[in-house]
Amino acid sequence: MAIYLIRRFLIMIATIFVIATMTFILMHSIPGNPFTTQDRSTSEAVQENLNAHYHLDEPMLTQYGIWLKSLVTFDFGPSIKQPTETVNDLLSRGFPISAELGMWTIMIALLSGITLGVLAALKHNGMIDYIAMTLAVLGISVPNFILATLLIQQLAVNLQLLPAATWSSPMHMIMPIIALATGPTAIIARLTRSSMLEVLTQDYIKTARAKGLSPAKIVIKHALRNALMPVVTILGTLVAAILTGTFVIERIFAIPGMGKYFVESINNRDYPVIMGTTVFYSAFLIFMLFLVDIVYSILDPRIKLHKKGGS
Amino acid sequence: MERLNRPIETAVQQIPDEWFQPIEKDLNKAEEVSRPSLSFYKDAWIRLKKNRLAVTGLFFLIVLILAAIFAPILSPYSISEGALRNQNLAPTAAHWFGTDSLGRDVFTRLWYGARVSLFVGIAAALIDFFIGIIYGGIAGYKGGRIDSTMMRIIEVLYGLPHLLVVILLLVVMGPSLFTIIIALTITGWIGMARIVRGQVMQLRNYEYVLASKTLGASTARIIRRNLLPNTMGPIIVQITLTVPSAIFAEAFLSFLGLGIQAPNASWGSMANDGLSAILSGDWWLLFFPALFISLTMFAFNVLGDGLRDAFDPKLRR
């Protein structure tokens, strides 16, 4: 167990290091620096001061060192386009909102996806199965940004049921969460259904039935427990999908979360913010994958944690 | 009921012995295959044809590819030039899917957009396929130290958030069709490599490969007859599922303004343009690109699912 954990942890650190280095190299391979590209004419002295302030006059290796140090100390410095704010300010302001959106989305996707999948498996080839799977394929096929705009047009503009944008009350949260959760719900539903179908044919389910357990108990206590393993494996990927989904969703619904700052910083070419948010996002995701791996290995007794390879 | 109760001896006694004649043992006949043998692909094709949804998807995709190829013939309008007096027309007989804010015909732009979307999807899938098959093949075939080193690299890369990397690359390299494909494939091949490696490793040790070897089959024959047909199933499925995710990624990036730039059209950039128009009631600007993105992804997804079932030997009856 300990060896496996350490190994996974080292891989996690290596991945974060790779992304940090890649971000650094990419950002510095852009010709010029953020100040020379501005058309506002500043005097030589100001340029130099700015360069010195942001360490842009140092050799590459020193800058790389400073960048790594800022990572370890978790201090990404000031934003270039909004000098009064630091990257940390933006992160601490945006992250809670994005996290709220993300948590709700995951919870709703899990609940509705698993319910749909189980119902479809229990009524295999029946009406419910057919409807649920059609919904699931539709959910996978319709991109979230399109669903979001359709929702706004129908529910907010035409019917005036829900507020179209911002993030201030539970009513505001309904549409973004639906738009973001539909894709993951569909994926979870399909996965639950197929693994549930497989589990239901197993002998131990027959045994449980023969013992006279109620159908509900068989499904919840015996079948679901094993059927949900594949769902746990893809949780990491789902978190990634939801996270990138927040970029567009937050933009469409004007939610002041991290995704909005990230997209803005790209459009403004605000390098410290791009670098900071990218590394933050990546570290968060990589940590999530790590957690999912650990949870999975705890849940599945067949996986020996010290097993080598097997990726 | 009565028949069952009759003692079994009397039933046997009633059959005269001369009814029985020993037949000659025919060795050739014993070896004969009772049904005409089907190649792997023929069998898969027969089973795919039974899946109506997958066939519909395939049909839709063929029509779409043809429409994208013959886009200039399909419509008299140009992709980039419109008549300004025809701004924001609702669908009419002249403009089937309406016109956009610059008076350009949406129907025409959709087919040119289909070119971009399909090209990105298919190019990304093919590049993934080649890199993945080589990397995964080497790792799976060599095994041991080489494999574990190559897999550690993959493990590190696998953790990278793909779209973030793609966005970063696009910021640096500037948006163009070429950079989008490069950016998508730079992380996209990992999934394919993992699948190929897993398949090769698993199949390498199967008894039928050993049996082939024992019967004196050459390595080339083993690879051609035993390994490839059985790896191709999951690989083809992976390709059909890579295409829609690449199309989605392109639409997503174009929607963020990092994709195809005007005056060229892609479905994502058209949906992005339509987003602002929808609030003024010009629904067709968003509706048609959205419909085609969704239909195409739907078609690829059902085709991929159908192929997965068709290739799965466990489902063979």
Side-chain angles (χ1 to χ4, degrees), chain B residues 13-80:
Chain B
Q13 276 162 8
Q14 280 165 3
I15 302 171
D17 279 349
E18 59 267 25
W19 283 18
F20 294 96
Q21 268 175 20
I23 55 163
E24 243 171 82
K25 217 182 211 171
D26 186 350
L27 273 176
N28 287 330
K29 223 166 201 158
E31 293 289 309
E32 208 171 73
V33 182
S34 57
R35 272 181 285 180
S37 74
L38 282 174
S39 79
F40 179 68
Y41 294 103
K42 260 190 205 153
D43 180 49
W45 172 239
I46 287 171
R47 283 186 296 144
L48 183 70
K49 272 198 292 191
K50 285 184 191 149
N51 185 338
R52 251 181 290 158
L53 204 56
V55 172
T56 317
L58 184 64
F59 181 72
F60 173 81
L61 290 175
I62 291 172
V63 171
L64 188 72
I65 290 170
L66 288 179
I69 293 173
F70 297 111
I73 305 174
L74 275 179
S75 136
Y77 302 103
S78 136
I79 175 180
S80 51

Side-chain angles (χ1 to χ4, degrees), chain A residues 7 11 15 22 26-27 29 137 140-141 143 145-146 149 153 190 244 248 251 262 266 281-282 285-286, chain B residues 152 155-156 159 161 163-165 167-168 171-172 248 252 255 275 278-279 286 290 293-294 297-298 301 305:
Chain A
R7 206 185 119 240
I11 285 175
T15 315
M22 219 166 102
L26 285 176
M27 287 297 119
S29 60
V137 182
I140 292 174
S141 304
F145 53 91
I146 283 171
T149 35
Q153 203 228 348
R190 278 159 57 105
T244 38
V248 275
R251 181 171 162 233
F262 181 63
I266 287 170
Y281 269 134
S282 314
L285 265 182
I286 293 161
Chain B
R152 285 305 84 74
E155 248 176 279
V156 169
L163 268 174
L164 275 177
V165 175
I167 289 173
L168 272 186
V171 168
V172 175
F248 169 78
F252 178 90
F255 191 77
L275 174 61
I278 202 160
L279 296 176
L286 178 67
I293 295 175
S294 307
M297 300 217 354
F298 181 80
N301 278 321
D305 283 355

Side-chain angles (χ1 to χ4, degrees), chain A residues 3-125:
Chain A
I3 294 170
Y4 177 81
L5 281 185
I6 290 167
R7 206 185 119 240
R8 284 292 292 117
F9 187 76
L10 287 179
I11 285 175
M12 181 170 92
I13 299 295
T15 315
I16 294 177
F17 180 74
V18 166
I19 190 94
T21 310
M22 219 166 102
T23 330
F24 181 84
I25 294 172
L26 285 176
M27 287 297 119
H28 285 265
S29 60
I30 301 172
N33 70 42
F35 307 114
T36 52
T37 52
Q38 271 176 346
D39 39 25
R40 222 181 313 146
S41 51
T42 42
S43 69
E44 284 288 305
V46 174
Q47 285 274 349
E48 267 167 37
N49 279 339
L50 277 172
N51 281 345
H53 181 68
Y54 292 106
H55 303 289
L56 292 173
D57 52 348
E58 316 249 5
M60 269 302 163
L61 223 61
T62 324
Q63 287 194 43
Y64 183 58
I66 293 169
W67 164 236
L68 287 186
K69 195 182 147 223
S70 72
L71 276 186
V72 176
T73 52
F74 207 80
D75 174 19
F76 296 114
S79 153
I80 286 184
K81 300 284 157 157
Q82 294 152 287
T84 48
E85 295 200 87
T86 64
V87 180
N88 288 26
D89 285 341
L90 293 181
L91 288 182
S92 58
R93 192 141 35 91
F95 183 69
I97 296 174
S98 296
E100 195 182 7
L101 174 61
M103 289 302 290
W104 277 110
T105 306
I106 283 262
M107 263 157 47
I108 296 210
L110 277 175
L111 259 179
S112 48
I114 290 171
T115 318
L116 263 181
V118 168
L119 285 180
L122 290 180
K123 308 274 176 208
H124 185 40
N125 286 335

Side-chain angles (χ1 to χ4, degrees), chain A residues 208-226:
Chain A
R209 207 167 278 154
K211 281 196 308 190
L213 291 184
S214 71
K217 204 163 184 182
I218 292 174
V219 169
I220 292 165
K221 255 195 104 173
H222 295 264
L224 207 52
R225 216 185 137 135
N226 284 317

Side-chain angles (χ1 to χ4, degrees), chain B residues 38-158:
Chain B
L38 282 174
S39 79
F40 179 68
Y41 294 103
K42 260 190 205 153
D43 180 49
W45 172 239
I46 287 171
R47 283 186 296 144
L48 183 70
K49 272 198 292 191
K50 285 184 191 149
N51 185 338
R52 251 181 290 158
L53 204 56
V55 172
T56 317
L58 184 64
F59 181 72
F60 173 81
L61 290 175
I62 291 172
V63 171
L64 188 72
I65 290 170
L66 288 179
I69 293 173
F70 297 111
I73 305 174
L74 275 179
S75 136
Y77 302 103
S78 136
I79 175 180
S80 51
E81 282 162 38
L84 279 175
R85 63 196 160 83
N86 288 341
Q87 275 175 32
N88 294 328
L89 288 180
T92 58
H95 299 280
W96 287 2
F97 291 170
T99 58
D100 68 6
S101 58
L102 294 172
R104 295 173 299 193
D105 184 54
V106 173
F107 182 76
T108 312
R109 286 173 69 76
L110 260 182
W111 301 126
Y112 282 98
R115 285 183 169 185
V116 172
S117 293
L118 288 174
F119 182 72
V120 168
I122 292 169
L126 283 183
I127 296 174
D128 283 357
F129 168 72
F130 282 115
I131 303 177
I133 224 172
I134 292 169
Y135 194 97
I138 291 174
Y141 191 75
K142 295 274 180 191
R145 201 172 207 103
I146 296 174
D147 173 49
S148 72
T149 318
M150 287 174 95
M151 280 299 117
R152 285 305 84 74
I153 295 173
I154 280 208
E155 248 176 279
V156 169
L157 291 179
Y158 183 72

Side-chain angles (χ1 to χ4, degrees), chain B residues 13 128 140 160 187 199 275 280 287 306-307 317:
Chain B
Q13 276 162 8
D128 283 357
L160 295 179
T187 52
Q199 287 283 319
L275 174 61
S280 50
F287 177 76
L307 283 173
R317 278 176 299 236

